[in-house]
Structure formats: structure tokens, C-alpha cells
């Protein structure tokens, strides 16, 4: 237990040591069981140690670990083909994390405008409250004070607009604007679902101005919202998209997807990754896709999401001094808190329910996608108990 002081204190880690996971449950070193509605922040979509995924990794671990992108594997080729078949995309590049996949998308966009001889168009519009990761580029795209303070100078080329407000987006467009980069549902920023039609308005604006549209579906993608990808709620497709989190169910992998047109600048030697698309990652992701693309799996997420929504709405109605709003979509829902959300997450931990804070004083719930109705009810009972205790102590 003495090793934590030597880790950089950039996280405010909870004093719990987890040793084992099983489906939607986590067990700590004291043997206490927690309902895991963090799921590695939307990562373990299929729950902990899903047998099909474990088997894929075990088999691969005994066969081949890595060969580098200098060679091919059937596993990586198959995964890329499946992602292409499931989406708008023609081409895929694998990375090891979300932000790498996002940054690959940013490079795709910059290179596209260079390839069509408009290198002066390099700026991108991003949204207040966004989160795209922690590299220098992703920080520059967010400009959140807490994230960027002391890390300057920031990479140039990102302009912020108001999420959900097409007028502010139009106002941010200049002759130098290359693209709009957006989370179809804002994750870290507080589980904000855009007003209906907003993604369509972004698509239309991009088409009108010859700009590219990039979606960051790292958190909201792969079933989480009740559709395979959150942008499907509006029937709108991007030119570039990044995914990660649930794709590996905990094994690090991210992917940048693009149309052939958008990716035309990504020629030999323009990008790379040592580990990206190694066969362990791609075999795990193939196993994840086996389950997520099973008939009815995503529809069931939407159905369970509706049940979860009712729970959260009645909790909000019953405890107005603790929660002021239920928001989100599918199994990507949260509550706007009245006391600080850190107070709420601590109170929920006392009830053995794990949750995670988000922007706008929201408490987020990211249950594994395999959660059952009974487990949602169990979680709702935990929130209800925690709220009652907070009301008594207030
Ligand atoms: C988590 C997240 C990222 C960053 O992913 P990492 O794997 O932590 O680099 C980027 N965008 C969104 C929307 C995310 O939720």
C-alpha cells in the first residue's frame, strides 16, 4: 500500500484497492462487493472478465503478441473490415488509446486540406465543455482552465463554439476553418445530449463550406447510447470518427475511421504506431464486436436505458434537494447534483455503488452494457438510500 505516494498525484484516487471483477461487480481487497457503474469510465462495456473476451486474449497470448505494422495480421485486417462494414468509413487506423485515435483524426483533417492544396485551412471548431484527451493537441482543443493552466503555449488552431447552438458555430467559421470536431453526446463535460437536429445542422454547415466533420465517439459509441454509434440517433454521418474505450473492454485500443476522401492525404510514411493494431488488441476487439453486433444487443441497451431513465427521473422527483435533473441517453445517463457531485459519489460508494463525476456538477453512471434490469434496480435503490441519508444530514 505504500507505493501510491510515488505515483504522480494527478488523480485524486479513491482509497479502494480492487482485486477482482466479475460482470458488473468489483471486489476489493477486503472482499467487499461494489456495483461498478464506472466500468473503467465506459470501457468495460461487456463487464469484467467477459468469458468470450478472456478466451480471445488467452488464445492470442499463446499464439502471437506483436509483429509491428511493418507486417499484416488477419486479425487486424478483419477488425478493420468489420468497422468499415458497420459504419460510414472506408479506412481505419488502429492506435492504443482514445486520444491517439482522436489525434490521428486531427492529422487526417490537416493532411486532407494540404492534399487538396488549401493548407491555409487548418483551424477546427470544437465545443465548450468538450473532452478529447490529454495530449498537447487535445488540451488545445478544450482550453479548459484546469487542464491547460501552466502547459502553454497551446497548439494553435482550435476555436470554441457553444454545444447545441448552431449560430455560435456559424459565427466561429472563418476562411481558415477546416473542420468541426464534436462529441455527439458530451461525456466528461456532463452527459449533454445535443438538441434534436444539431448534428444535422453541423453536417449541413460542413457541406456548405467544404469543411470536414469529425465525431469523437470514444465514450458515446459502441452501443452506449442505445445505438451502435450515437450519431445514428440523427441519421448523420461524419467524415472522420474516433473510437476507443469499449472497443477493447479494457485492453488498450483505439481506432480512427475515415472516408477515403477525407483520408486521401494519409499516404505512406505520414503516420504510424508501434503497438497500434497489435494482434492481442485486435483479437480482443474482434471478440467485443462479436457480442456487440449480436442481433438485439444494442436494441436491448436502448430498452434498458429507458428503464434506467425512469429510475433516475423518479429519484430526481423524490429528492429535489439532492438532484435537480436526470439527463443522458441509453446507458449513458447521469444526475445533476445539488450538493457537490463529489459528495454524491462518496455517498454512493458507502452504498457500494461506483459512479464518476462529470462537468456541470453531474454524477455519471456508465454501467456495463450487459447490466440487467435487476441490477439497474439495485443501483437505483443505492442512489435512493444515499439521497435519503444526505437529506437527513442536511
Ligand atoms: C476518454 C475520452 C477520450 C480520451 O481517451 P483516452 O483513452 O483516455 O486517451 C477522448 N474523447 C472522449 C469523448 C473520451 O470520453
Amino acid at each position: 500500500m505504500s507505493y501510491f505516494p510515488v505515483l504522480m498525484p494527478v488523480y485524486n484516487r479513491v482509497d479502494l484497492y480492487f482485486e477482482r471483477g466479475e460482470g458488473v461487480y468489483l471486489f476489493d481487497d477486503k472482499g467487499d462487493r461494489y456495483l461498478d457503474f464506472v466500468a473503467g469510465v465506459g470501457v468495460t462495456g461487456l463487464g469484467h472478465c467477459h468469458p468470450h473476451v478472456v478466451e480471445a486474449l488467452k488464445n492470442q497470448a499463446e499464439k502471437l503478441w506483436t509483429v509491428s505494422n511493418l507486417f499484416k495480421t488477419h486479425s487486424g485486417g478483419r477488425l478493420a473490415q468489420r468497422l468499415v462494414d458497420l459504419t460510414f468509413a472506408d479506412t481505419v487506423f488502429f492506435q492504443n488509446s482514445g486520444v491517439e485515435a482522436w489525434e490521428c483524426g486531427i492529422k487526417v483533417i490537416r493532411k486532407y486540406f494540404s492534399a487538396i492544396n488549401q493548407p491555409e485551412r487548418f483551424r477546427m471548431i470544437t465545443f465548450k465543455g468538450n473532452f478529447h484527451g490529454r495530449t498537447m493537441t487535445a488540451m488545445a482543443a478544450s482550453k479548459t482552465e484546469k487542464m491547460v493552466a501552466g502547459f502553454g503555449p497551446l497548439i494553435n488552431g482550435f476555436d470554441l463554439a457553444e454545444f447545441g447552438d448552431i449560430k455560435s458555430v456559424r459565427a466561429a467559421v472563418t476562411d481558415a476553418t477546416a473542420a468541426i470536431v464534436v462529441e455527439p453526446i458530451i461525456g466528461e463535460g456532463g452527459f449533454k445530449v445535443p438538441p434534436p437536429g444539431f448534428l444535422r445542422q453541423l453536417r449541413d454547415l460542413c457541406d456548405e463550406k467544404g469543411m470536414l466533420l469529425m465525431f469523437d465517439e470514444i465514450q458515446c459509441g459502441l452501443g452506449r447510447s442505445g445505438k451502435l454509434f450515437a450519431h445514428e440517433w440523427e441519421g448523420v454521418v461524419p467524415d472522420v470518427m474516433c473510437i476507443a474505450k469499449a472497443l477493447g473492454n479494457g485492453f488498450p485500443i483505439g481506432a480512427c475511421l475515415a472516408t477515403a476522401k477525407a483520408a486521401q492525404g494519409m499516404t505512406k510514411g505520414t503516420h504510424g504506431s508501434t503497438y497500434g493494431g497489435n494482434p492481442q488488441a485486435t483479437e480482443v476487439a474482434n471478440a467485443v464486436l462479436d457480442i456487440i453486433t449480436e442481433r438485439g444487443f444494442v436494441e436491448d441497451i436502448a430498452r434498458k436505458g429507458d428503464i434506467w431513465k425512469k429510475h433516475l427521473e423518479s429519484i430526481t422527483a423524490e429528492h429535489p434537494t439532492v438532484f435537480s435533473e436526470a439527463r443522458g441517453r441509453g446507458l449513458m445517463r447521469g444526475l445533476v447534483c445539488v450538493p457537490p457531485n463529489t459528495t454524491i459519489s462518496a455517498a454512493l460508494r458507502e452504498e457500494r455503488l461506483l459512479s464518476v463525476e462529470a462537468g456541470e456538477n453531474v454524477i455519471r453512471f456508465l454501467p456495463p452494457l450487459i447490466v440487467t434490469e435487476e441490477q439497474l434496480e439495485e443501483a437505483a435503490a443505492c442512489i435512493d438510500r444515499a439521497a435519503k441519508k444526505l437529506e437527513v444530514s442536511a
Side-chain angles (χ1 to χ4, degrees):
M1 292 214 181
S2 58
Y3 59 92
F4 273 102
V6 298
L7 287 176
M8 275 188 206
V10 294
Y11 275 94
N12 184 19
R13 294 171 199 269
V14 173
D15 206 19
L16 282 173
Y17 293 76
F18 287 113
E19 293 191 326
R20 194 166 63 81
E22 205 181 290
V24 305
Y25 295 103
L26 276 174
F27 299 84
D28 72 4
D29 58 352
K30 300 186 191 75
D32 284 337
R33 188 181 84 162
Y34 287 78
L35 200 46
D36 182 13
F37 275 34
V38 175
V41 194
V43 169
T44 52
L46 304 183
H48 297 286
C49 301
H50 190 288
H52 184 63
V53 180
V54 170
E55 193 197 345
L57 182 58
K58 274 188 178 166
N59 287 344
Q60 190 59 43
E62 289 175 355
K63 251 186 357 202
L64 179 66
W65 283 30
T66 202
V67 292
S68 102
N69 283 306
L70 298 172
F71 304 97
K72 302 176 182 180
T73 66
H74 288 294
S75 175
R78 177 163 173 260
L79 180 63
Q81 185 62 54
R82 292 173 86 180
L83 290 172
V84 163
D85 291 344
L86 287 167
T87 65
F88 70 94
D90 304 307
T91 181
V92 179
F93 191 79
F94 294 117
Q95 307 269 195
N96 313 296
S97 67
V99 74
E100 278 185 26
W102 179 84
E103 191 136 348
C104 178
I106 300 303
K107 288 178 73 173
V108 165
I109 293 166
R110 284 245 177 136
K111 208 68 167 51
Y112 167 78
F113 283 92
S114 155
I116 64 166
N117 290 316
Q118 299 180 19
E120 69 285 359
R121 295 179 75 178
F122 69 92
R123 304 195 68 84
M124 301 181 205
I125 294 172
T126 54
F127 292 88
K128 286 181 192 153
N130 78 53
F131 180 80
H132 300 298
R134 297 290 197 158
T135 60
M136 290 299 285
T137 315
M139 273 167 23
S142 289
K143 306 187 205 283
T144 313
E145 184 53 24
K146 196 168 78 181
M147 267 171 70
V148 305
F151 289 114
L154 293 182
I155 288 174
N156 181 21
F158 294 96
D159 302 303
L160 289 174
E162 294 290 339
F163 187 70
D165 177 1
I166 192 67
K167 281 206 198 84
S168 84
V169 185
R170 278 195 176 271
V173 175
T174 68
D175 290 344
T177 307
I180 298 172
V181 179
V182 65
E183 295 162 80
I185 299 174
I186 288 204
E188 306 291 315
F191 276 14
K192 283 159 85 166
V193 178
F198 182 60
L199 299 182
R200 164 62 56 196
Q201 289 169 326
L202 294 181
R203 177 74 269 175
D204 290 347
L205 181 57
C206 285
D207 293 345
E208 177 191 325
K209 305 274 188 190
M211 304 186 300
L212 296 180
L213 179 61
M214 172 167 157
F215 288 154
D216 178 344
E217 291 244 10
I218 290 171
Q219 190 161 160
C220 60
L222 291 160
R224 176 60 61 187
S225 75
K227 300 258 188 209
L228 186 58
F229 294 104
H231 63 260
E232 293 173 22
W233 284 103
E234 288 203 25
V236 170
V237 292
D239 305 289
V240 183
M241 176 168 81
C242 53
I243 57 175
K245 292 205 162 102
L247 183 61
N249 208 57
F251 199 98
I253 180 170
C256 176
L257 285 65
T259 62
K261 177 185 162 212
Q264 64 184 272
M266 301 303 281
T267 51
K268 265 186 209 68
T270 57
H271 192 54
S273 171
T274 296
Y275 295 123
N278 82 75
Q280 295 175 90
T282 56
E283 270 310 272
V284 166
N286 270 314
V288 167
L289 283 190
D290 290 345
I291 310 282
I292 290 186
T293 59
E294 264 173 17
R295 189 202 290 265
F297 185 85
V298 171
E299 290 76 5
D300 201 47
I301 294 169
R303 186 187 63 79
K304 291 183 292 194
D306 288 342
I307 294 168
W308 186 223
K309 175 177 192 255
K310 290 204 185 84
H311 281 305
L312 294 180
E313 282 174 350
S314 69
I315 287 167
T316 308
E318 274 168 45
H319 305 287
T321 61
V322 185
F323 301 115
S324 61
E325 182 193 332
R327 54 158 83 158
R329 187 169 257 169
L331 287 176
M332 183 173 184
R333 292 182 190 275
L335 294 167
V336 182
C337 306
V338 179
N341 53 6
T342 47
T343 304
I344 304 293
S345 60
L348 294 178
R349 270 198 307 279
E350 294 294 313
E351 306 302 325
R352 301 286 184 266
L353 172 66
L354 302 177
S355 59
V356 57
E357 298 106 26
E360 303 195 345
N361 206 31
V362 165
I363 192 82
R364 274 182 287 176
F365 302 106
L366 289 152
L369 308 173
I370 54 151
V371 71
T372 64
E373 278 179 52
E374 291 71 29
Q375 288 158 344
L376 290 172
E377 211 173 299
E378 194 182 325
C382 293
I383 304 170
D384 188 53
R385 278 199 306 276
K388 282 195 177 109
K389 286 183 193 169
L390 288 166
E391 283 162 346
V392 168
S393 67

